[in-house]
Amino acid sequence: MKHELLVPAGDVESLNQAIANGADAVYVGCKNFGARKFAKNFENDEIVTAIKLCHLYGVKLYVTMNTLIKDAEVPEFLGQIEFLYKAGVDAVLIQDFGMLCLVREKYPNLEVHASTQANTSSKETAALYHSLGVKRVVFSREMSLDEIKKVDVPIEKEVFIHGALCISYSGCCLMSSMLGGRSGNRGECAGCCRLPYTLEKGQRVMANDKYLLSTKELNTSYRFEELLNSDITSFKIEGRMKSPEYVGFITRFYRNLIDSHCKNVDIDGLNKQLKTIFNRGFTEGYLFNTDPVELMNNDTPNHIGLEIGKVIEVTPKYIKIELQEELNQQDGIRFLNNGNGFIVNYLYGPDGKLINSAPAGTICFVDNKVELTTTDVVCKTQDFKLMSSLKQLPIRRIPITIQVKAKLSEPLEIIMSDGTYTFMVQGNPVQPSQNAPMSKQRIREQVERLGETPFTSTTTIVESDPNIFIPVKEINELRRSLTEQLVQSRMQVNKEYVINDVVIDVPDTKLDPAITASAYTMEQVDACNKYKLKRIYVMDHEVSKEYDNDRMYYVPTRNSRTPLAGYKKRALVSEYFDFSLKEYLVGNYGLNVTNVYTAYYIYKLTMQTVTLSVELTNEELINFINNYIKTFNKYPNVEILAYGRVENMVIKGNILKLSTKVYDYKLRDNKGRVFPVFFDGVNTHVLNYELVKLDDVKLLKKYASLRLDFYDEDPDKIKSIINEYLMY
C-alpha cells in the first residue's frame, strides 16, 4: 500500500521545507485551538496560502484543532472550523469529543481525524470513531505495531515514527495544568516531564535529582521496513516546535526510506548528521516493545549532539581535542560532563595555526571560552556546513506530459497534462520554412523549457511535418499559458460545501446529586462502606472482588487494549467506546468533559453520569451546569471531584522500577512539591502534590454529585472527611 509521509510545520519556513523535501501531507496549527500554542503557527491568510501551495505540489494540508474547548469558546471554534472547511483544508484533527461529534454532524463532508490527544488505545475506541464518521485515528504512542495490526476496523491508521515522546498517554496528562495552570490539553504544556525529580520510598532516596520522567526521541529509522510492510496509512513526524532545518532534514530522511523501501540508504550516516541537529538520545519506542526503562534519558532533557572526540589537555587559554569525527569552524560544540558549550569561531591545528577544518583522527585546539578545567567528552551540537546546506531548498518538480502537433497550414496545438488536469491551446497556422526549418528536437526543447515553473516533462511527444517554421516566441507564449492553467487548476479547491443544521435530541438525564468516593485498599473501602454513599469506586481489582453490591464500581486499568474485558457490572471508565455495550457506567474525569456538547454526546452513547474535567475552575463548573440547562433545557447528571489528588499522569509500564501496588513512593521536584506515585501492575500513576479544594460546595451539591478520592488516608481520616461533606 502507499504510505503517507506526514510532516509538521510550525511556521511558513518549515512548511516550505516540508514540501520541498518530499512530504505527502503537512499538519499545521492556527493561532488558536492547536496543541502547540507556543509554536509560531499560522494566521488565516497564511492558511489559505499554505493550502494553495500544498495543493499545487499534490500535498495535503491538515490543521490541528485539537485542544479541549470550553463553552464560551464553542462559537469561535466552529467559526474557525467553517473557515478552514471553506478554504479547502484536507482534514482537521480534533481531540474534544463533543466538538468532534458536532463537527461531523454540521460539516458531513469535512474530513476529521481523531488526534493523538483523543487517546485511541484500543480497537473499541477506533470502532467508535469509525461509527461517528471519523476518517482516521492517530494511535497512542504506547501501542505496539503488533497491537495496531490487530485493530481490524475499516479506519485509516496513523502513527508517530519520529520525534519527541510524551511520557504520559496523550490526553491523560494534567501535570502542567495542575502545577502552573498551563494545560497540555489546551496547547500550553510547560514540559514538566523535562524537569529533575527525586524518587523517594518512605524516607529513603531511590534516585536523586534526575530527569526521571524525560524520554528520549522516537527514531524508527533502523526498523522502518517493518512499518512499510504494515497496514499503517500515515507515518507522522513530531516537530512543530523544531527548526525549519530539522523539518527539512527529517522529511528527506524518511522520504528516502519510503521511496527506496529502506534499500541502499546510509542510515548510520544520516543518524550521525541528525544527532548534530537534535538528539536527546534515541529510542525505537513502544512500537517495537522497547522496555519502558530504555525509553528514558535520566541524565539530560536537552540536545546532546554527536560525540566527536575527547578533551585530552586543558589550559586557561586552549582546549586540546582528539577528534574521532570532523570539526569545522562555526560548528557548535558542548562538553558533555561540564554542560557548557560555544560556537567554534577559531579552530587551530596541531601547530597552533588557524584552520577551517580538522578531519577525524587528528588533534586540534579551540579557545577555552567556558573556563574548562578537566578533560571531557566533546559533542557537536551544530554542524555549520550541514545547516547551511539545509537552508538551500531542493527543487520539487511536478511530472507532466506534453503533446505537440505541428502540421503545415494547421493551427499549432500543444497539450499539457498532469494526470488530473489536461489543457490544450492552439496557435497560428504552421507556416512553411523559407530557409531554417524547425526540427522536432528544437520544438521539444522549447516546450520543455519549464525551469521557472514547478513542472517537469516526463514524456514529450512531437508530431510535426518537415520544413516548417514556428516562431519561438509563439511556442513560449503557448507554453506559459498552459503552465499557468495547470497551476491555477491545481491550487483551486473543488469541493461541495455541505453545512447542516444540527438536530439536538437530548436524552433524559435524571438530576441525582449524591456523595461518592474512591478508594484503593480494603480498609479504605470498608470505611466508605459504612456510610450511605451513592457509589464507591474501587481502584484495586483484587479488592473489588471482595465486594458485590450495587454501590461498588470497579475502576478498570486505564488505556487498556481490551477496555471491555474484565468489567464487573458497574464501572468508572476513562476511555471512549460504545457505552451501550455495558450497563451502569460512570464517566471518569479522564473523558475530558469541558463543554456541554461533550456531556450531551456522552449521554447519547447511553452513559448516565459523567465526571466533569478537573481542569475547570469552580466558576466554570457552575457555568457548565447553567449552560447545559440553557442549551438543552434539562439538568445534566454530572459528578465533580470535590476532594482528593488529581491523577496527573498515566504512564505505560514501570519506568521508575517501583514495587507493584506499594503506595509510599513519591517524586519530589526542585521546589519541594511531593507527588505520590505508584505502579498498578500495568501503568505508573503520578498524583498531584496538593489536594483539590472545591469552593461553593453547598451550591454545587444541589446540582452535582460530589466525589471524594482517597489515596493514603486512614479510616479515621476518611470518616472525618465524609462527615464533613455530608454536613453541607
Side-chain angles (χ1 to χ4, degrees), residues 219-235:
N219 182 338
T220 63
S221 59
Y222 283 100
R223 300 188 66 174
F224 196 66
E225 189 172 0
E226 294 173 58
L227 296 175
L228 285 172
N229 293 330
S230 73
D231 64 346
I232 293 168
T233 305
S234 182
F235 298 136

Side-chain angles (χ1 to χ4, degrees), residues 507-547:
D508 286 328
T509 48
K510 180 182 177 183
L511 185 64
D512 190 19
I515 301 293
T516 69
S518 71
Y520 284 88
T521 67
M522 191 83 71
E523 292 77 12
Q524 291 174 333
V525 175
D526 283 338
C528 294
N529 201 28
K530 294 176 182 178
Y531 290 87
K532 292 183 179 180
L533 304 179
K534 183 75 173 180
R535 292 178 291 274
I536 300 173
Y537 304 122
V538 186
M539 312 296 281
D540 189 305
H541 186 252
E542 294 303 314
V543 174
S544 74
K545 292 178 181 178
E546 301 298 320
Y547 297 91

